[in-house]
Amino acid sequence: MLLVRLMMLAKQRNSKSANRTITVFADEAKVHISKPFMTSLQASAGWGLHTILAFQSWQDLHDCPADLSPESVIGSISENCALKICYGIDDPDTAERFCRSTGTVPVDEPMAEVQRGLGLAETSNGKRALRRGEQYLIDMNTMLHLLPGCAVLKEAGQLAKRIDTSPVRVEPVDAVVVVS
């Protein structure tokens, strides 16, 4: 109810304060899902309200009220959130969905001709060919094995990229650096 109230206040502000934005962080987004919240989410950016939604898995969003379909909730969140930051994922379905959303790139896959002998031993005749294929820009292994503090950033209109979101940890030393 608090999120819906913030959205209504943002909508009713006068135009003098329209250049000031409000940012709301909704952790465990699945507990905030309601019909008014989903309707307001679609228009909130136009009111100067930016909503950050955090959740662990797309499966979490299937647990929504009976008056909403899980597919519409997932579609609305996916389309209305222009910036997506995804940390390491354990759920292969969520990783697959995110990887699929990053798009594909062409790849050349090498192929070799192999012949089998009497003992089913494989021998190559030396002929090689390249087959044109596609793979996700950000692949499943990358998503399933991101290091702590690393994420993948997907912005509207730009290629997805790997980013570091934590400072580099260093050991302090008693040394003086002189630059001349």
Side-chain angles (χ1 to χ4, degrees):
M1 295 307 291
L2 178 62
L3 286 173
V4 173
R5 180 66 180 142
L6 283 172
M7 288 179 173
M8 292 301 106
L9 289 172
K11 181 181 179 182
Q12 295 168 357
R13 291 190 299 174
N14 64 26
S15 60
K16 292 177 186 174
S17 62
N19 59 355
R20 296 188 65 197
T21 60
I22 301 169
T23 303
V24 176
F25 178 71
D27 196 11
E28 293 299 335
K30 71 178 187 177
V31 300
H32 304 292
I33 296 172
S34 67
K35 188 87 165 175
F37 177 73
M38 296 309 297
T39 303
S40 299
L41 179 65
Q42 296 169 359
S44 62
W47 305 332
L49 178 74
H50 300 283
T51 309
I52 301 169
L53 304 175
F55 53 93
Q56 272 72 47
S57 161
W58 288 108
Q59 297 303 320
D60 285 352
L61 303 179
H62 282 270
D63 185 19
C64 62
D67 61 340
L68 294 169
S69 76
E71 291 77 23
S72 68
V73 169
I74 290 170
S76 182
I77 288 174
S78 181
E79 290 300 318
N80 289 301
C81 296
L83 243 140
K84 297 170 183 73
I85 297 177
C86 191
Y87 290 92
I89 300 172
D90 288 331
D91 178 30
D93 294 331
T94 300
E96 168 73 22
R97 182 181 177 93
F98 189 80
C99 292
R100 196 172 56 239
S101 75
T102 66
T104 59
V105 292
V107 292
D108 292 329
E109 300 171 352
M111 297 181 337
E113 279 189 29
V114 177
Q115 297 173 347
R116 293 183 189 218
L118 289 175
L120 296 179
E122 294 181 350
T123 57
S124 173
N125 63 4
K127 291 184 182 178
R128 296 203 172 274
L130 288 177
R131 184 180 75 168
R132 196 70 153 162
E134 286 187 341
Q135 70 180 29
Y136 296 133
L137 178 63
I138 304 294
D139 65 358
M140 289 279 289
N141 283 333
T142 301
M143 290 311 304
L144 293 171
H145 300 98
L146 281 172
L147 296 173
C150 295
V152 173
L153 172 66
K154 186 172 178 292
E155 297 176 80
Q158 295 188 13
L159 291 175
K161 59 188 168 197
R162 190 185 129 334
I163 60 170
D164 295 315
T165 59
S166 298
V168 177
R169 298 195 187 281
V170 295
E171 293 294 323
V173 293
D174 293 329
V176 176
V177 177
V178 179
V179 180
S180 40

